[in-house]
Amino acid sequence: VTIAVLPGAFVAPGRALAHVTFDSQAEAHFDFEQAAKAFLIGDERVFDQDPRYGLIVLSQIAGRALSPAVNDPGTAIDIIGILVRLFVTWGTPAEEARAEATYDRVEVPELSVREMFDDAFTAIERDGSSAVEVVIRLLKALSSLALMGDAPMRDAAIYHARRALACAENALTLPEDIGMARKMADFAFQDTHPEDAFRNVSSP
């Protein structure tokens, strides 16, 4: 059984939840109704089975803090720190040995690091782009995550650093602030000119 959706996925009639491969003898004994009942479909996402939902909620808190009505960049900066700690924990290999699979004929897709970064940082890049203190802290955070030694995390951090700089260059007005942001984003460009690099990053 190959699961086609992860917890938190939006599903509607016609979307496959799983794909089943079996030999001719097993087909007659497979209970498709029982397999369908193994999926819980509800109206709301839940934290305990859906880690991406937690990242989205944290990002929403930062977004509200950065709204003109609230204007609280300190809370957004605190959220960035929390997100870094979460990704560092996620990217640190567990010391204990992996347990044997209980159900060795069920395949589940991996969580995408790139999608988790999208959930966590996209709104902050947009909503915090006019606050230089938020931009600098965000770029420092992404620089730290790029150095974790995890290739997918490095790629995601570089993409979002380039995106954060592009948003900041559109929103910041002081040349000094833009210069600081570009300096903090240097790690994401290497030999590529900053004005060209963001256009060369593949879309999510």
Side-chain angles (χ1 to χ4, degrees):
V1 179
T2 302
I3 308 299
V5 293
L6 284 170
F10 180 79
V11 296
R15 179 167 184 179
L17 301 179
H19 304 281
V20 183
T21 305
F22 38 66
D23 58 35
S24 56
Q25 294 180 344
E27 182 174 2
H29 303 288
F30 190 84
D31 189 340
F32 286 93
E33 245 182 72
Q34 190 66 26
K37 288 178 182 176
F39 292 88
L40 177 63
I41 300 177
D43 296 330
E44 298 180 353
R45 301 173 77 166
V46 292
F47 291 111
D48 58 346
Q49 295 186 13
D50 184 3
R52 287 185 60 186
Y53 182 45
L55 298 174
I56 290 169
V57 171
L58 285 169
S59 180
Q60 289 173 340
I61 293 170
R64 290 191 188 100
L66 290 166
S67 66
V70 178
N71 191 24
D72 177 17
T75 293
I77 288 170
D78 288 342
I79 293 295
I80 292 169
I82 292 170
L83 291 169
V84 170
R85 291 194 291 275
L86 288 171
F87 280 116
V88 167
T89 301
W90 179 269
T92 302
E95 293 182 5
E96 66 272 10
R98 289 191 177 187
E100 290 295 323
T102 305
Y103 304 101
D104 59 0
R105 289 181 291 174
V106 178
E107 295 180 352
V108 180
E110 287 187 54
L111 281 166
S112 165
V113 172
R114 174 64 174 274
E115 290 178 350
M116 290 195 292
F117 270 61
D118 292 346
D119 295 334
F121 297 118
T122 300
I124 300 175
E125 292 157 9
R126 179 192 65 231
D127 298 335
S129 59
S130 61
V132 67
E133 65 270 40
V134 175
V135 173
I136 297 303
R137 182 58 62 92
L138 177 59
L139 290 169
K140 284 182 178 179
L142 293 168
S143 175
S144 298
L145 293 173
L147 296 173
M148 279 285 295
D150 180 278
M153 193 172 292
R154 180 181 180 276
D155 291 343
I158 286 174
Y159 171 81
H160 278 277
R162 292 178 177 183
R163 190 180 187 279
L165 180 61
C167 291
E169 287 177 332
N170 269 340
L172 295 173
T173 54
L174 287 177
E176 293 86 349
D177 290 345
I178 296 173
M180 280 196 296
R182 287 174 175 168
K183 184 176 179 180
M184 292 306 306
D186 275 350
F187 76 95
F189 296 99
Q190 298 177 355
D191 297 329
T192 308
H193 193 281
E195 292 180 1
D196 300 325
F198 184 73
R199 292 196 293 268
N200 295 334
V201 178
S202 58
S203 300

